[in-house]
Structures are given as structure tokens and as C-alpha cells.
């Protein structure tokens, strides 16, 4: 089942409040530890409002994942448009990531956190598997017009491998940061990403 982007776009104030409450609680308490009644109480909304827009908690979970994906990848795309050299792109991204981790994402990557908490829910797991392919494809698009130190354009297979490595390093570092709160993992992430420019 595909989730539509308009699922996360608020059409009325109650839907907006429900989404904001769910997003806050899913990130701070975790998806399995957050109940529908708690979301409704936080949102000041009624069950009818919830079920009009989100037939189940899984639909709210998918809306959350899609919103996080768009936020993270949208941010990366904006930096890639501005920074035309790979090393500058990585340095700018890491600078902004550190700022985000200090101010907003204190528990690590919200996307990975919820994904890791829903392995026993096939509908969400399948949604995440499809999304991970989109992440790699979006990284490939971002890197297509980047200037590399070698000055040699990358082949499609090289871009795909680099994009997969970016996703691998990014999610690994964010998980370790979320577990420890130690910025050394983000420094290692930057170093690892810069090393991909061979």
C-alpha cells in the first residue's frame, strides 16, 4: 500500500495537530510506546478526527516516515544544489547535521528510529524497504553533477555504489550517535564520506 504525499499535508487544524503530536511522541517516546489516546490527548483532538485522516496507527507511522524522508532528503538536495564540489557538499551537510542534532534530532535519525521499532509490522517494513531505494536514487541524482577531486565523472555504477555507501555510513553514524550522544560518530561520518571521493 503506497502512502500519498497529501496524507502528511494538513487539510484542517485537527489533522495538523494530530500529525504534530504523533511526530513529537513517536520521536521522543518511540512508536511502540505511544498510544492513540496519548496522541489524541496531546493534539486536543477526537478519535473521529484521527480516523477520518488515518485509519490506523500504521498510517500515522507511514506519514511520519514520509515526512522525515522528505525533510532529510530535501535538506541534502538543497545543499547539493548550492555546493558543486563533493568535499564542500559533505562539509556543508555535516555542519548543518551537527546543528540539527544539537537542536532537534537529539535521539539520532527519526527515520531509522521508527524503522527499527517496527520490524514486526510487515506493512511498515515493506514501506521502509521501498523508501531506502528512493534514498539511494536521490543521492545518485544529487551526486550526478558534483565535481570530484579526481576531476573524472563517475559512472552510473560508481554513483550507485557511492550513494549506497553514503546511506550506510549516515545511518550507522546516526544510530551510534542516538545511542551515545557522542559527536565523535558524526566526525567519523564526515571522514568516511569524504574518503568516498577517490
Amino acid at each position: 500500500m503506497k502512502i500519498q504525499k497529501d496524507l502528511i499535508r494538513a487539510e484542517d487544524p485537527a489533522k495538523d495537530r494530530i500529525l504534530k503530536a504523533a511526530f513529537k511522541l513517536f520521536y521522543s517516546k518511540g512508536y511502540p510506546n505511544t498510544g492513540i489516546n496519548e496522541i489524541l490527548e496531546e493534539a486536543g483532538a477526537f478519535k473521529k478526527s484521527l480516523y477520518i485522516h488515518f485509519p490506523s496507527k500504521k498510517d500515522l507511522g507511514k506519514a511520519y516516515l514520509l515526512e522525515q524522508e522528505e525533510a532529510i532528503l530535501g535538506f541534502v538536495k538543497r545543499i547539493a544544489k548550492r555546493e558543486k564540489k563533493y568535499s564542500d557538499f559533505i562539509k556543508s551537510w555535516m555542519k548543518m547535521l551537527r546543528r540539527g542534532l544539537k537542536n532537534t534530532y537529539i535521539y539520532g535519525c527519526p527515520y531509522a528510529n521508527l524503522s527499527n521499532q517496527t520490524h514486526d509490522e510487515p506493512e511498515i517494513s515493506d514501506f521502509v524497504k521501498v523508501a531506502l531505494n528512493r534514498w539511494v536514487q536521490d543521492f545518485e541524482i544529487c551526486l550526478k553533477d558534483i565535481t570530484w577531486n579526481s576531476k573524472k565523472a563517475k559512472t552510473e555504477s560508481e554513483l550507485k555504489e557511492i550513494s549506497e555507501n553514503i546511506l550506510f555510513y549516515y545511518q550507522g553514524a546516526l544510530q551510534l550517535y542516538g545511542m551515545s550522544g557522542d559527536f565523535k560518530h558524526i566526525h567519523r561520518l564526515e571522514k568516511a564520506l569524504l574518503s568516498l571521493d577517490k
Side-chain angles (χ1 to χ4, degrees), residues 44-172:
F46 298 103
K47 273 191 180 177
K48 184 177 179 182
S49 297
L50 172 75
Y51 291 120
I52 286 171
H53 301 295
F54 306 99
S56 70
K57 183 180 173 184
K58 288 177 188 175
D59 291 307
L60 260 177
K62 289 189 285 185
Y64 174 86
L65 288 169
L66 189 59
E67 181 73 13
Q68 296 304 331
E69 177 184 344
E70 289 187 347
I72 294 165
L73 293 179
F75 182 67
V76 170
K77 288 174 189 176
R78 287 192 298 277
I79 294 172
K81 279 184 182 176
R82 191 179 71 231
E83 304 290 357
K84 297 302 178 188
K85 188 176 175 188
Y86 178 79
S87 58
D88 293 339
F89 160 65
I90 295 300
K91 288 173 185 175
S92 290
W93 181 20
M94 293 301 105
K95 181 179 178 183
M96 299 307 289
L97 178 61
R98 285 185 189 95
R99 189 177 300 159
L101 290 171
K102 285 179 185 173
N103 301 322
T104 308
Y105 297 117
I106 56 173
Y107 306 118
C109 178
Y111 196 95
N113 290 352
L114 191 136
S115 301
N116 290 334
Q117 297 162 3
T118 54
H119 289 299
D120 59 341
E121 298 199 28
E123 192 175 319
I124 293 181
S125 293
D126 291 343
F127 181 83
V128 169
K129 287 173 190 169
V130 172
L132 290 176
N133 288 328
R134 279 197 307 270
W135 284 55
V136 171
Q137 290 167 358
D138 280 356
F139 281 129
E140 286 180 67
I141 292 166
C142 288
L143 297 177
K144 208 169 191 178
D145 298 320
I146 286 277
T147 303
W148 303 87
N149 278 341
S150 64
K151 306 291 186 199
K152 183 183 173 188
K154 303 293 183 188
T155 65
E156 282 186 27
S157 63
E158 288 173 324
L159 285 177
K160 183 174 184 183
E161 184 178 353
I162 291 168
S163 298
E164 288 172 345
N165 283 330
I166 289 173
L167 179 60
F168 174 77
Y169 290 133
Y170 173 81
Q171 287 298 355

Side-chain angles (χ1 to χ4, degrees), residues 5 71 196:
K5 287 189 179 184
L196 297 175

